[in-house]
RNA sequence: GCGGAUGUGGCGAAAUGGCAGACGCGCAGGCUUCAGGUGCCUGUGGUGGCAACACUGUGAGAGUUCGACCCUCUCCAUCCGCACCA
């Protein structure tokens, strides 16, 4: 007899939705809090895809499990709606973004309902709602007020296709994150957030969070902490007249006697400052222009051919030995890292080596090793602790000692100091696009950049039909003159508004805080509520944008903590990245690919309980799993058998036939929910149901416990059976307890090995001592010990016996 | 190039120092059924054997251990992230 999943599932979903059954209670008087967050979906798609099944279901199961265990669970949802992804999708569809987002949010809600998600729908937020982005703007004002936001001309990533500036995070590998096109470098006036100030704090967050090591490493790499020295070099002309100085950063101070040239990034300011002394300044400008347009193709090309341009007429003086060397500009030196300049030691750095070969520059070897084919780099010379050469008083010392002594010398000469460098840059924070949070600032000829009064927030995004990106890379908002022209809040004279908008990451960098108090119009959230809900206990979601998103989250949370707006530095205690669902070619199943199977299709065919179980029976939460319908019959058979339990009820209390299995099951399933190991929960439940069917009956109490164990994963069918059998609501019941005394049986089966090889499995009383075991074996299994002397008996009580002969 | 992870039957996968392959799919055989792309039962890593059983087996090779999928070292393969970061 099959159960009618269509009507049963709808019945419960309607009820949960209508009653908002899963409402979280602020300041619950007795229950402990538990905060589960699922990464809110981006409204760009408007439809849930298989990837969402991987992330939502475990979060929902954990939420339901925790509620049954007496927790006051906060499990909210919302939509990430501002920014390029939604705007590009809206443009493609030819809809106004406002309307596009409204539709998308509605569709998400319907689909989440169909998934049986136990969200608190009263707390739903959307980042493009003025009530929400009021507080995104408020946070920006605080950043500005505390010197963590600044506007500056700088060389930044620009996507010619999307017509906007992008952050480093949004242009990884030289490709636009949204359209995949090549990103070029452009000089522009840009808002930056001082994320670099938070490198150490963020590294602390990474250490404290419970998250996969690979994700932690990706984030540490992105921050890119590196310890070394900053050293000052004088710049002179042919006649040794001092023209200025510049700093370099190095992690290999021990090679300083090997410098044969210096290299600046093409954009380095020194080039502009000394342009009158550079004889070939025209060539330098031409080189600059060329490198700015270098595309992805050039950068990835295998040759990695070194290009550059000498600065004729300028020389640098090595502070340790007074040696005069040539200066170049070259694009292998990055303007944004360190001070945008390096000392070049071709014998001991492979890039310098290649550059020296290309430009025919001499080399000086200062550490042992064979430098004829390639540089002997620090990995090799430090590991082998080679001796120093050609390094004045340090010649003959081993490298490790020399490194310390040379550093001391540089410091005592007053030309250097120990420093720490980070790869991470400040966050370029504006986009020349329509669909985003307007910046709450105006530009006044008299007062400069003037922030709006907090009382005037939100600054509403003006409506317009002309929202397509501009060809010249200006924001379309610049055309809305009655928005742009305004009065300066400070002096009252005519002023203009900022017309760029914030990036899509703005709204998602603090949204977990808003869920604690989503309707507050006095603060981003009430401080006591933030304190009550605290850090997110478990945060699930995809891994696609995890490095960026989590770092941005750490950054904002730390900033808000420092200004006293939130009670903790750690937004999340545990972050789980769900694996991908792969299609039949082993590639990521994407929403756009034609072979993508929609979750709604699976739900319509098999029911949502079956779909929920199937996706997570396929493999572990953090593993990639290939999608297939194969095996779903195993799940539907299981659910049919669960349904059939109603007709097998006999007796009330737990039977002696099932007491051990049931207690073990309760223990195992509970542990597996905590660790989100849903696949083994399902198999454990299958094993139990097989036992029940073999015995031909289940008691009422056993059925009750079984339904509770399955409820977090398959909430509909279990709610229905519970109601039919017990005439009550399963959600009013609580998680079954197990008793330790039923986890162990008096007579156990344990393996006996001879010389480490399995010989026999024997039945034996629990908790015998070693002598008793040997005696027992001699009595009952004489063959195991006959014919040889037992040299040694290894007996791990109740686990294994190993006889050594 | 650097970093991280993974590697187990025909397939998805269990087992984190103690009986490898649980559970599910698939496959084979059987029972039920008017019928079945239904339900139920049995078997199923490989090799040999009618069989009980024997040997063998977790990417490859070494090591630690009474005992290794699990710990250590070397290598190979695949996937992911970063990539001229001084």
């Amino acid at each position: 007899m099959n159960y009618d999943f269509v009507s049963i599932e709808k019945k419960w979903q309607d009820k949960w939705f209508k009653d908002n059954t899963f409402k979280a209670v602020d300041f619950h008087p007795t229950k402990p809090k538990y905060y589960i967050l699922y990464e809110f979906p981006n409204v760009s798609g408007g439809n849930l895809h298989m990837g969402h099944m991987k992330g939502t279901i475990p979060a929902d199961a954990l939420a339901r499990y925790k509620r049954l265990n007496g927790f006051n669970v906060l499990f909210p949802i919302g939509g990430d709606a501002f920014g390029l992804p939604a705007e590009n999708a809206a443009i493609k569809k030819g809809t106004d973004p406002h309307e596009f987002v409204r539709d998308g949010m509605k569709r998400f809600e319907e689909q989440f309902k169909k998934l049986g998600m136990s969200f608190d729908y009263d707390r739903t937020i959307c980042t493009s709602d003025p009530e929400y982005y009021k507080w995104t703007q408020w946070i920006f004002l605080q950043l500005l007020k505390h010197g963590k936001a600044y506007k500056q001309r700088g060389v930044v990533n620009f996507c010619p296709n999307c017509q906007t500036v992008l952050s480093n995070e949004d242009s990884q590998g030289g490709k636009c994150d949204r359209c995949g096109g090549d990103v070029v470098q452009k000089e522009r006036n840009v808002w930056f957030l001082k994320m670099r100030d938070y490198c150490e704090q963020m590294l602390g967050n990474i250490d404290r969070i419970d998250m996969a090591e690979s994700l932690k490493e990706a984030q540490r790499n992105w921050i890119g902490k590196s310890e070394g020295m900053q050293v000052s070099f004088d710049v002179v002309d042919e006649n040794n007249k001092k023209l200025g100085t510049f700093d370099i950063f190095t992690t290999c101070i021990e090679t300083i006697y090997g410098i044969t040239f210096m290299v600046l990034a093409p954009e380095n300011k020194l080039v502009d400052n000394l342009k009158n002394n550079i004889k070939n300044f025209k060539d330098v400008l031409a080189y600059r222009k060329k490198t700015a347009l270098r595309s992805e193709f050039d950068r990835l090309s295998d040759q990695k051919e070194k290009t550059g341009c000498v600065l004729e007429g300028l020389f640098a003086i090595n502070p340790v030995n007074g040696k005069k060397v040539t200066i170049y500009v070259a694009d292998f030196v990055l303007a944004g890292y360190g001070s945008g300049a390096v000392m070049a030691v071709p014998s001991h750095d492979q890039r310098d080596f290649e550059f020296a070969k290309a430009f025919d520059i001499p080399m000086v070897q200062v550490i042992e090793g064979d430098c004829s084919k390639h540089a002997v780099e620090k990995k090799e010379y430090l590991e082998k602790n080679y001796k120093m050469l050609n390094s004045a008083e340090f010649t003959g010392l081993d490298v490790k000692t020399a490194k310390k002594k040379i550093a001391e010398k540089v410091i005592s000469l007053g030309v250097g100091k120990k420093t720490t460098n980070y790869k991470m840059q400040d966050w370029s924070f504006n986009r020349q696009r329509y669909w985003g949070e307007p910046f709450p600032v105006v530009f006044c000829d008299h007062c400069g950049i003037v922030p709006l009064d907090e009382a005037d927030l939100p600054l509403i995004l003006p409506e317009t039909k002309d929202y397509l990106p501009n060809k010249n890379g200006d924001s379309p908002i610049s055309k809305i003159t009655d928005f742009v022209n305004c009065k300066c809040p400070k002096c009252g004279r005519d002023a203009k508004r900022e017309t760029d908008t914030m990036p899509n990451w703005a709204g998602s960098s603090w949204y977990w805080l808003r869920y604690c108090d989503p309707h507050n119009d006095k603060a981003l959230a009430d401080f006591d509520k933030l304190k009550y809900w605290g850090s997110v206990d478990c945060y699930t979601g995809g891994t696609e944008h995890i490095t960026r998103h989590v770092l941005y989250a750490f950054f904002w949370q730390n900033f808000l903590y420092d200004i006293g707006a939130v009670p903790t530095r750690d937004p999340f205690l545990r972050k789980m990245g769900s694996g991908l669902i792969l299609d039949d070619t082993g590639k990521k199943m994407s929403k756009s690919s034609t072979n993508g199977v929609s979750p709604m299709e699976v739900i319509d065919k098999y029911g949502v309980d079956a779909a929920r179980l199937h996706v997570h029976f396929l493999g572990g939460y953090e593993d990639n799993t290939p999608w297939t319908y194969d095996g779903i019959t195993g799940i539907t058979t299981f659910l049919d058998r669960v349904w059939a339990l109603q007709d097998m009820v006999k007796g009330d209390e737990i039977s002696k036939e099932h007491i051990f299995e049931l207690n073990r099951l309760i223990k195992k399933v509970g542990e597996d929910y905590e660790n989100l190991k849903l696949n083994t929960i399902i198999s454990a439940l299958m094993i139990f149901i097989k036992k029940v069917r073999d015995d031909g009956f289940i008691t009422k109490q056993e059925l009750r416990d079984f339904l509770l164990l399955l409820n977090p994963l398959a909430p509909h069918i279990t709610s229905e059976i519970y109601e039919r059998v017990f005439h009550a609501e399963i959600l009013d019941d609580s998680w079954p307890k197990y008793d330790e005394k039923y986890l162990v049986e008096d007579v156990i089966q344990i393996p006996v090995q001879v010389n480490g090889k399995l010989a026999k499995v024997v039945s034996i009383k629990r908790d015998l001592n070693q002598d008793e075991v040997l005696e027992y074996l001699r009595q009952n299994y004489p063959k195991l010990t006959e014919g040889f002397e037992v040299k040694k008996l290894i007996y791990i009580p109740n686990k294994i016996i190993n006889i050594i002969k």
Side-chain angles (χ1 to χ4, degrees), chain A residues 432-504:
Chain A
Q432 290 70 37
R433 294 289 294 251
Y434 170 69
W435 190 240
E437 299 87 348
F439 282 85
V441 296
V442 303
F443 303 111
C444 167
D445 287 341
H446 276 80
C447 311
I449 294 174
V450 183
L452 293 194
D453 198 294
E454 287 176 19
D456 294 331
L457 299 182
L459 174 61
I460 303 283
L461 178 68
E463 303 228 4
T464 173
K465 293 217 174 331
D466 189 10
Y467 53 77
L468 294 181
N470 271 356
K471 286 240 166 56
N472 58 10
D474 284 336
S475 164
I477 296 174
S478 60
K479 289 184 278 187
I480 311 172
T481 46
D482 41 340
F483 173 79
V484 176
N485 296 318
C486 61
K487 299 290 177 203
C488 171
K490 215 165 166 186
C491 69
R493 287 179 212 162
D494 285 346
K496 287 193 187 304
R497 291 193 197 281
E498 170 65 83
T499 59
D500 286 359
T501 52
M502 300 186 199
N504 58 312

Side-chain angles (χ1 to χ4, degrees), chain A residues 345-378:
Chain A
V345 183
S347 302
H348 305 291
D349 181 287
Q350 188 58 24
R351 287 158 320 167
D352 299 348
F353 182 92
E354 285 160 20
F355 192 86
K357 286 278 178 236
F359 286 78
D360 205 18
I361 304 167
M363 311 191 355
V364 174
Q365 185 173 357
V366 291
I367 299 169
E368 292 176 323
D370 177 9
C371 298
S372 59
K373 298 250 164 36
H374 55 79
V376 176
E377 294 195 284
K378 80 177 145 189

Side-chain angles (χ1 to χ4, degrees), chain A residues 54 577-582 618-626 679:
Chain A
K54 268 290 247 205
S578 63
L580 300 172
I581 302 270
L582 306 173
L618 284 174
Y621 175 59
E622 293 189 289
D623 301 328
N624 295 338
T625 37
N679 50 346

Side-chain angles (χ1 to χ4, degrees), chain A residues 3 5 11 34 57 125 141 187 197 207 409 445 462 470 520 542-543 550 555 584 646 703 739 759 768 771 773:
Chain A
Y3 74 108
F5 61 79
K11 166 186 158 187
Y34 197 86
I57 307 306
I125 58 171
L141 284 185
E187 200 181 324
D197 288 0
D207 285 342
K409 172 167 176 167
D445 287 341
N470 271 356
N520 193 325
T543 51
V550 172
F555 168 34
D584 44 16
Q646 300 173 70
L703 176 62
D739 189 333
L768 295 181
D771 294 339
V773 164

Side-chain angles (χ1 to χ4, degrees), chain A residues 33-49:
Chain A
K33 74 95 188 182
Y34 197 86
Y35 187 175
I36 302 172
L37 183 62
Y38 172 69
E39 196 171 79
F40 61 175
N42 200 294
V43 188
S44 58
N47 281 305
L48 297 179
H49 52 81

